[in-house]
Amino acid sequence: MKRVTLFVNGSPRNGKVVAVYGTLSDLLSVASSKLGIKATSVYNGRGGLIDDIALISVLPYPQTDVNPPEELTGSHSDWITLNVGGRYFTTTRSTLVSKEPDSMLAHMFKDKGAWGNKRDHRGAFLIDRSPEYFEPILNYLRHGQLIVNDGINLLGVLEEARFFGIDSLIEHLEVAIKGLNFSGADLSRLDLRYINFKMANLSRCNLAHANLCCANLERADLSGSVLDCANLQGVKMLCSNAEGASLKGCNFEDPSGLKANLEGANLKGVDMEGSQMTGINLRVATLKNAKLKNCNLRGATLAGTDLENCDLSGCDLQEANLRGSNVKGAIFEEMLTPLHMSQSVR
């Protein structure tokens, strides 16, 4: 009968000798009992996944008296343990370096001494990031597949992938995010630049202080969401539904001249007080009962826009185009620039 010595997570200590028989599932069951863990996978000393019991070699020595070969202990296999936000991950240096050699993660562990003494009391390398978002990234580096457990927010994984510079994973995530349901999610303060949210469900989301520069929100559902103080420079929100949303203090103004496009958007009852919207395109958008108090709408396109009962008091409408807009019941008191009634035909 064949026997092998198994170690937990590549540790060179406290190995257990077990008999090899039956199937790989039988071996995992014995390993779980011997090592006091729930064993789910077996790797060789170099970090390679063993998926067939026939691949396990016989150990030609007395396991209780002789030290196992170095390739089984992990001492030469480059196994390392990471402490990510208080959660431990064991992997190999080659996993972190090989697939994305130009990434920040690869540069962190390319040289064995590069990480210095930034270790915890157990010797694990300390990384101050979210463990739940790091796990899919590590698995991607292991086998090249994007696998995310239920309940894990893809946008959080995307932000971590950007932080670590995993470029190929970023592309996978951006494709996966398109059209997804994020209803009610907390996405506040996330870096969501250039993300394609076309037709995504973002209703009742918390997007306060999020960076949505040049994001595509075309036909997205943002109803009831909070986007206060969000960066919306160059955003595309054509025909989106943001009814009842809060966009107070948002910045739509791009210094480079790229204009935010909200043409045809449903903005009924939105609160956009104090937002910077120079040159914004709100053509044929619906802003009925919206609050636009003290907004900068200089040079904005409001042609054909429904501004019924809209509060525009204190707004800067210099050079704005209101041709064909509906201003019935709209409030214009204390405007910074007088409204020329010839601009409104309804």
Side-chain angles (χ1 to χ4, degrees):
M1 180 179 291
K2 294 191 292 185
R3 292 177 297 169
V4 295
T5 302
L6 299 178
F7 300 87
V8 178
N9 293 333
S11 169
R13 301 185 181 88
N14 302 319
K16 298 292 183 181
V17 178
V18 300
V20 180
Y21 64 91
T23 65
L24 190 60
S25 296
D26 295 324
L27 177 60
L28 291 171
S29 178
V30 173
S32 298
S33 176
K34 285 271 190 178
L35 297 169
I37 63 171
K38 184 179 180 182
T40 58
S41 304
V42 180
Y43 298 84
N44 64 23
R46 300 185 183 280
L49 177 65
I50 296 174
D51 57 6
D52 188 333
I53 200 166
L55 298 175
I56 298 177
S57 302
V58 178
L59 299 182
Y61 54 84
Q63 279 79 3
T64 55
D65 299 319
V66 180
N67 291 329
E70 288 179 338
E71 63 265 27
L72 291 177
T73 67
S75 59
H76 280 231
S77 64
D78 232 7
W79 282 96
I80 58 175
T81 299
L82 311 176
N83 180 343
V84 183
R87 182 174 165 190
Y88 290 92
F89 297 88
T90 299
T91 185
T92 61
R93 197 180 303 273
S94 61
T95 294
L96 301 175
V97 172
S98 300
K99 187 171 182 63
E100 290 276 353
D102 295 325
S103 70
M104 186 180 82
L105 199 58
H107 286 294
M108 287 165 64
F109 294 99
K110 189 173 294 183
D111 299 322
K112 292 187 178 181
W115 208 226
N117 60 355
K118 300 177 179 66
R119 303 195 188 201
D120 66 8
H121 65 285
R122 293 172 54 178
F125 294 95
L126 288 162
I127 299 178
D128 186 20
R129 303 298 293 183
S130 168
E132 65 175 354
Y133 297 145
F134 181 77
E135 184 176 15
I137 292 174
L138 180 57
N139 286 332
Y140 174 79
L141 293 175
R142 285 169 170 158
H143 47 61
Q145 300 296 316
L146 173 59
I147 300 174
V148 181
N149 295 332
D150 292 342
I152 301 298
N153 193 327
L154 282 178
L155 294 175
V157 181
L158 175 61
E159 180 155 334
E160 294 302 290
R162 283 177 166 169
F163 176 81
F164 289 114
I166 316 296
D167 291 340
S168 59
L169 178 56
I170 291 171
E171 296 176 8
H172 283 292
L173 286 164
E174 288 179 342
V175 171
I177 286 168
K178 182 179 178 180
L180 288 185
N181 183 2
F182 297 100
S183 181
D186 184 359
L187 309 177
S188 58
R189 300 183 184 276
L190 290 182
D191 184 356
L192 306 174
R193 290 172 296 170
Y194 301 99
I195 299 297
N196 186 359
F197 286 111
K198 186 175 181 179
M199 301 181 70
N201 183 358
L202 294 160
S203 61
R204 302 184 307 282
C205 278
N206 181 4
L207 286 157
H209 298 275
N211 187 355
L212 287 156
C213 177
C214 297
N216 184 0
L217 291 161
E218 184 177 348
R219 299 183 184 277
D221 185 0
L222 289 156
S223 56
S225 292
V226 176
L227 293 96
D228 295 344
C229 300
N231 181 7
L232 296 167
Q233 294 174 330
V235 71
K236 296 178 181 178
M237 292 177 61
L238 287 82
C239 301
S240 60
N241 176 23
E243 184 170 353
S246 178
L247 293 94
K248 292 183 288 187
C250 289
N251 182 23
F252 293 86
E253 186 177 344
D254 190 341
S256 68
L258 184 62
K259 297 180 180 180
N261 191 348
L262 282 72
E263 183 170 339
N266 177 13
L267 301 168
K268 288 181 181 178
V270 299
D271 188 348
M272 305 176 80
E273 183 175 346
S275 291
Q276 296 295 317
M277 295 187 283
T278 300
I280 193 172
N281 182 5
L282 287 163
R283 183 177 176 273
V284 299
T286 301
L287 283 153
K288 188 175 181 179
N289 299 316
K291 298 178 182 178
L292 296 174
K293 190 174 181 179
N294 299 322
C295 285
N296 183 356
L297 287 161
R298 180 173 296 201
T301 299
L302 295 159
T305 302
D306 185 358
L307 297 168
E308 185 176 347
N309 298 323
C310 184
D311 185 354
L312 291 158
S313 57
C315 284
D316 184 352
L317 287 162
Q318 185 175 342
E319 299 180 358
N321 179 5
L322 291 106
R323 185 174 294 111
S325 61
N326 176 19
V327 295
K328 181 180 179 181
I331 301 172
F332 292 101
E333 284 86 350
E334 301 177 359
M335 285 194 310
L336 296 181
T337 302
L339 173 68
H340 299 292
M341 297 309 294
S342 61
Q343 294 177 298
S344 176
V345 296
R346 295 193 297 179

